[in-house]
Amino acid sequence: MKQFVLVLLCLSSLSGSQLFSLKSGQSNRLIHEDSPYLKQHVNNPVDWYPWGEEALNKAKEEHKLIFLSIGYSTCHWCHVMVYESFEDKTIASLINKDFIAIKVDREELPHLDKHYQNLHLLMKNRSGGWPLTAILTEDAKPFFIGTYFPPEDTYNQEGLATLLPRLARDYKNNRKNILVQALKTETAMDKSNRAVFKPVNIDLSIADKSFSGLQEQFDEVYYGFSRRPKFPEASKIGLLFDLDSLGIKGAGDMAVRTLRAMALHGLYDQVEGGFFRYSVDAAWEIPHFEKMLYTNAELIPLYVKAYERSGDEMYEEIVHETIAMLETRFEADGLYYSASDADFGHQEGGYFIYSYEEMDEVLSHVGKMEKETLTELLGLSEEGNFEGYTHINFYADQRPAGFEKIRPFLKAIRQNRHYPFIDTKINTAWNAMVIEALFIASELEHGYQVLAEERMRSLLEKMYLKGVLYHQSLPEKIPVQKALLEDYAFVASALLEGYAHNLDKKYLFLAGRLCDEAIQKFYDGSFWYLSDDGLKVHADMSDKYYTAPVNKMLAALLKLASIKGERKYLIIVQEELQRKSTLLKKEPHHFPSGIQTLLREKKGYITLKSDKEGLIKAKQKIKKIRYPFVLIKEENDLKAFLACDIQQCFSVDTDVEKVQESIEKR
């Protein structure tokens, strides 16, 4: 790994000599930062620096190790490590004495976080998480990495009070060996990043193999794709719907069963709507109570599909309730905040849970029979289902009929509580996810299209200034951090989805411009990178907590290739899929959104062209075309319907149904 060079802000140093612990009430260098997460650490006795040249240079000048801590503002275990260790003067003095301490907001620098998460996987042979803790040499080379550490030793984990002095001694006494080991790690990471596999041939049989892999992961009892903790994994559900559209039996049912389980149990906030980030148990009953903008944005389109496929009104209700929650809790000045916290006052889920006495009072508002039914279906007991309290979870295969009667009273109890901390960052990629979701939800209610167009206008006014796209900012601030690959990818995707609904040529034009810029900034002809700021972090196809940015970009390029008939985009997609073909073929279920793009490339998009009036009038008929991958494009002077693939146009008629027949024959 080459020496990192990333200038975020040139910050002034604290005057005076380096203190072992900051004086009481004295803030550290994070006072100059905008990130709400970094602001949470301003008054720690740890002498934190933000990531940047000042901190990296100071480590070299003073020949000190770097204590790197990566987290985000709504992370429960990040909070735990703060009040256990970073607010503790003894631990802080150990850090300040022998380390240069750097604090990173993973949402501000997701590419930097990605690099260290990959290092954790390489060094520990397992996934990391947050908080991520890395110890680097003075030249910013990693030799020790982990996640959460307690302040004192526990029965199975070394605490910071022991770990920090030991690492400092090792670096002082065995520096040469540590540098050799760090260099080996760096070399192994670079080799992993630049690994080139012999391309293999992939055909549409990959659909069956993908489904087989998902079946192996599938939880047949509680649904979803793991045991515990269990994440929604929207990309896998989206792939299942694609496989269903290609005729893979059982794929659609697997998707709908998973969505139903998530909607009926504790992962979903049954009182105010919206999904929590993940469930700590296999049965979706008890969530980790933070709500992420991206989680809800990527689930909304899946519930639209579930409703369209099944006709079950519950799925439609979930869409409306989730959007309403985002508008109530996350929206400000036409854009959306990033996340809300799980904790309040060091109590996880405190805002969302109810005491037995509170539940008994709520149930007094219904009749005896309904009370007995709800008590059973909610699984109510004095012990509760979460640390002596009750989190609302249905032990039923549908929403209990009487629940709507008590929901207002459950809401009323919450109104007397403080809502958890909200991270007010405006993240461009995540806002684009919501906008795309709103366009898709407009299939259920046209008003969402109007809302999506308003939100797109707000996003571009705030985050696309003088032809420059930015990554994130606070509502009252002018953005300064340039956009990353994920921002270009998700904004371009939202614009293309918007074009499919409103046929606004400005959307198509800007999507093309952003994709062209992304190719120039993040693609060198062999590799895609997450940023263009000197941190050469490779963009891989693995979907983690949301769709991999490179997969989203490839999907947008493939759409552009078909709509605009420009093969240059198709060639870039084909080259990247070929480079990754060995990985995709070996374990396709590990790269679900990548497989979705691969299926579209192999099957081929068909673009249906006509004038705007004709496309609008034929909208419902176009939706019923059984060929799974159909796009539309306005051609002003075309008074018929013309169907084209990337190679040629093959059917034209004034009757859209006749063109539909030609498409479906393919």
Side-chain angles (χ1 to χ4, degrees), residues 150 172 318 483-484 505 543 583 602 620 636:
K172 180 179 180 181
I318 296 297
L484 308 172
K505 290 183 178 180
D543 299 308
L583 296 175
K602 293 298 179 186
Q620 293 306 314
N636 279 334

Side-chain angles (χ1 to χ4, degrees), residues 522-533:
F522 309 113
Y523 184 57
D524 67 3
S526 298
F527 298 102
W528 283 89
Y529 298 95
L530 295 176
S531 70
D532 66 338
D533 55 12

Side-chain angles (χ1 to χ4, degrees), residues 1 51 89 100 104 155 167 170 212 218 325 460 528 563:
M1 179 182 63
W51 180 268
K89 291 183 179 180
I100 300 300
V104 169
Y155 71 96
L167 293 174
D170 288 348
S212 296
F218 193 63
M325 184 279 296
L460 296 176
W528 283 89
I563 295 172

Side-chain angles (χ1 to χ4, degrees), residues 297-316:
E298 291 208 311
L299 286 174
I300 288 169
L302 300 177
Y303 281 89
V304 173
K305 287 191 175 186
Y307 173 69
E308 291 177 336
R309 187 180 188 277
S310 69
D312 189 330
E313 292 182 356
M314 184 195 73
Y315 299 118
E316 184 180 21

Side-chain angles (χ1 to χ4, degrees), residues 314-357:
M314 184 195 73
Y315 299 118
E316 184 180 21
E317 291 169 1
I318 296 297
V319 172
H320 296 317
E321 291 171 4
T322 301
I323 293 173
M325 184 279 296
L326 294 179
E327 291 295 314
T328 301
R329 293 295 184 190
F330 284 65
E331 187 272 335
D333 296 325
L335 295 172
Y336 300 95
Y337 296 146
S338 294
S340 65
D341 211 329
D343 299 11
F344 184 77
H346 292 180
Q347 181 185 20
E348 185 176 7
Y351 175 82
F352 301 99
I353 56 181
Y354 299 89
S355 68
Y356 181 76
E357 291 74 21

Side-chain angles (χ1 to χ4, degrees), residues 24-36:
S24 177
Q26 183 177 357
S27 57
N28 53 44
R29 292 164 179 80
L30 301 183
I31 190 72
H32 303 290
E33 295 298 299
D34 289 336
S35 161

